[in-house]
Amino acid sequence: MKKDKAVVVFSGGQDSTTCLFWALEQFKEVEAVTFDYNQRHRLEIDCARNITQELNVKHHILDMSLLNQLAPNALTRDDIPVLDGEEGELPSTFVPGRNLLFLSFAGILARGIGAKHIVTGVCETDFSGYPDCRDMFIKSLNVTLNLSMDENLVIHTPLMWLNKAETWEMADSLQAFDFVREKTLTCYNGIIADGCGECPACKLRENGLNEYLASKGEL
Ligand code: ZN
């Protein structure tokens, strides 16, 4: 039997779209929340909106421009280049406190709409060094959220221990492989589907896709 209601933290990218399909299979009712923090590419918000409309999922867009005001970074500012972190440094795409804030607001939203479940596509396997994608952080925040509101919310992280190839496999098992491949936006240069092929996000996505297709003998 399907569990009741969930909120999916949704960016319109590969991971959160796969999570949205996962949630639609797991829960009776699903709503999505997208955070607007002046992402470089407004297209990300449009992409998220289009996907939720197509899947007939209620979509909340919350203004989080405060995050950019406090911590400008490569995802929000054209003059900060996208760079991988070197020798233990965090990459320039790291937004301090992002998941702390997003999941806290998702928790408040969940309480407001009577949802007991929150789904997020964070992943420790390919986490690029982001500390707020780690399982320990999510578990800690889950406890804190419940203590703060006297609730019993559960944060689900279906991708936590998957690599990118396994995330493609999950999309495929949810009959969402083509949808995720054609309609999601992962690329830091704002190019939908297979992307620019050059940026770190595209490379990660493409490597995972190729690994998955090779494992099925389709490459
Ligand atoms: Zn790209």
Side-chain angles (χ1 to χ4, degrees), residues 133-150:
C133 289
R134 290 179 293 196
D135 189 51
M136 187 60 82
F137 164 72
I138 300 293
K139 288 190 163 76
S140 159
L141 182 63
N142 200 156
V143 171
T144 299
L145 267 180
N146 286 334
L147 286 173
S148 75
M149 303 190 291
D150 203 14

Side-chain angles (χ1 to χ4, degrees), residues 4-193:
D4 30 46
K5 191 168 183 179
V7 171
V8 178
V9 178
F10 186 62
S11 70
Q14 177 195 355
D15 292 345
S16 65
T17 304
T18 303
C19 284
L20 185 57
F21 275 94
W22 179 86
L24 286 167
E25 196 181 72
Q26 298 279 321
F27 301 98
K28 270 191 226 142
E29 246 186 293
V30 175
E31 297 188 11
V33 59
T34 299
F35 296 98
D36 184 351
Y37 58 105
N38 299 330
Q39 292 90 327
R40 260 195 204 191
H41 298 288
R42 307 299 303 163
L43 192 58
E44 198 177 310
I45 307 279
D46 295 339
C47 182
R49 190 184 291 117
N50 291 341
I51 290 172
T52 51
Q53 276 173 1
E54 189 164 342
L55 297 176
N56 204 17
V57 168
K58 184 166 181 189
H59 190 207
H60 306 263
I61 300 174
L62 301 186
D63 176 16
M64 291 290 295
S65 49
L66 177 67
L67 191 55
N68 183 40
Q69 196 182 336
L70 285 171
N73 71 92
L75 295 183
T76 56
R77 289 265 299 269
D78 282 334
D79 55 341
I80 302 178
V82 172
L83 295 171
D84 285 324
E86 282 174 26
E87 293 177 22
E89 281 180 26
L90 287 161
S92 66
T93 49
F94 176 61
V95 184
R98 180 168 52 176
N99 283 331
L100 173 68
L101 291 175
F102 286 8
L103 289 166
S104 297
F105 281 97
I108 298 166
L109 174 68
R111 188 176 192 276
I113 63 172
K116 290 287 176 204
H117 303 270
I118 299 166
V119 182
T120 170
V122 297
C123 167
E124 183 158 333
T125 316
D126 288 326
F127 80 125
S128 310
Y130 296 171
D132 58 352
C133 289
R134 290 179 293 196
D135 189 51
M136 187 60 82
F137 164 72
I138 300 293
K139 288 190 163 76
S140 159
L141 182 63
N142 200 156
V143 171
T144 299
L145 267 180
N146 286 334
L147 286 173
S148 75
M149 303 190 291
D150 203 14
E151 280 285 335
N152 290 300
L153 300 170
V154 181
I155 303 179
H156 299 265
T157 56
L159 310 183
M160 182 59 77
W161 306 110
L162 305 184
N163 61 32
K164 277 279 182 250
E166 290 164 332
T167 302
W168 282 111
E169 186 180 2
M170 178 187 271
D172 207 1
S173 71
L174 293 163
Q175 276 84 51
F177 179 84
D178 290 337
F179 189 104
V180 171
R181 186 165 182 188
E182 289 160 15
K183 302 189 181 203
T184 64
L185 173 64
T186 307
C187 175
Y188 289 146
N189 291 311
I191 301 171
I192 218 157

Side-chain angles (χ1 to χ4, degrees), residues 186-191 194-203:
T186 307
C187 175
Y188 289 146
N189 291 311
I191 301 171
D194 287 342
C196 73
E198 302 284 325
C199 74
C202 278
K203 284 182 184 154

